[in-house]
Amino acid sequence: MSKSVFILPTNQRLKVNEEVIELLFSLAQDSLDALESGGILVGRILESSADYVIDDASVPMAKDVQKRNSFVRDSEGHQEYFDQHWAHQEGRCFYLGEWHTHPEKVPKPSFIDQRGWRNLLNAKIQEQTTLFFIIVGIQRLVIWQGVNRNGRIRIFRVGDINRYE
Ligand SMILES: [Zn+2]
């Protein structure tokens, strides 16, 4: 796995923990009957540099609805996951965004994905004005950054990771 550090337009960096990358690719829809998976991204914002680090990701839970082309997350289990992290990290971890899989080689966000991302940015969870969105394709995982600047939302592509490089 080649690259897990990305430079953001603000010159901050985004680092994605290698274990998270492996976990997400392990749930890629690489067989014809594989269902869509998803979860939340949890991490830190470093005090010194304001760099973002994605440390962990939740995986599908019992109450989530997984289908071939959709994934509906039941917030309860993932909230519990986050609360456990929060306690473990003594409150220094943040909700940093969402991830889900697509049954295509190089994933492209659907209209529903983009609308969902905008809704999350508008919700300003934990006062976060920046969130990351990952779609895991069969070959590539693509990362987008969403920013809510005084209600003006912008989403741009940060980069991608090739599963086989
Ligand atoms: Zn999608």
Side-chain angles (χ1 to χ4, degrees), residues 10-11 17 59 76 103 108 118 126 151-152:
T10 48
N11 274 331
N17 183 329
V59 295
E76 213 174 281
K108 292 175 292 293
R118 284 173 182 275
Q126 283 188 308
R152 211 172 130 248

Side-chain angles (χ1 to χ4, degrees), residues 79-164:
Q79 180 67 47
E80 208 166 278
Y81 169 91
F82 183 80
D83 292 345
Q84 279 168 9
H85 260 265
W86 181 264
H88 183 69
Q89 298 268 343
E90 293 163 6
R92 284 175 290 120
C93 79
F94 290 91
Y95 164 82
L96 286 184
E98 306 262 335
W99 72 275
H100 69 281
T101 61
H102 272 193
E104 55 184 342
K105 271 191 179 177
V106 180
K108 292 175 292 293
S110 66
F111 173 73
I112 291 170
D113 290 335
Q114 294 181 53
R115 194 176 54 189
W117 295 351
R118 284 173 182 275
N119 288 342
L120 287 166
L121 285 160
N122 272 323
K124 284 213 186 161
I125 299 155
Q126 283 188 308
E127 298 299 307
Q128 285 284 82
T129 54
T130 286
L131 292 175
F132 296 95
F133 305 109
I134 296 178
I135 304 181
V136 182
I138 296 165
Q139 193 174 58
R140 279 173 200 272
L141 163 168
V142 184
I143 303 171
W144 288 266
Q145 181 183 17
V147 180
N148 181 347
R149 199 161 280 132
N150 304 317
R152 211 172 130 248
I153 289 172
R154 289 184 57 207
I155 293 168
F156 44 89
R157 193 182 184 283
V158 170
D160 63 71
I161 296 171
N162 188 324
R163 189 178 186 178
Y164 304 106

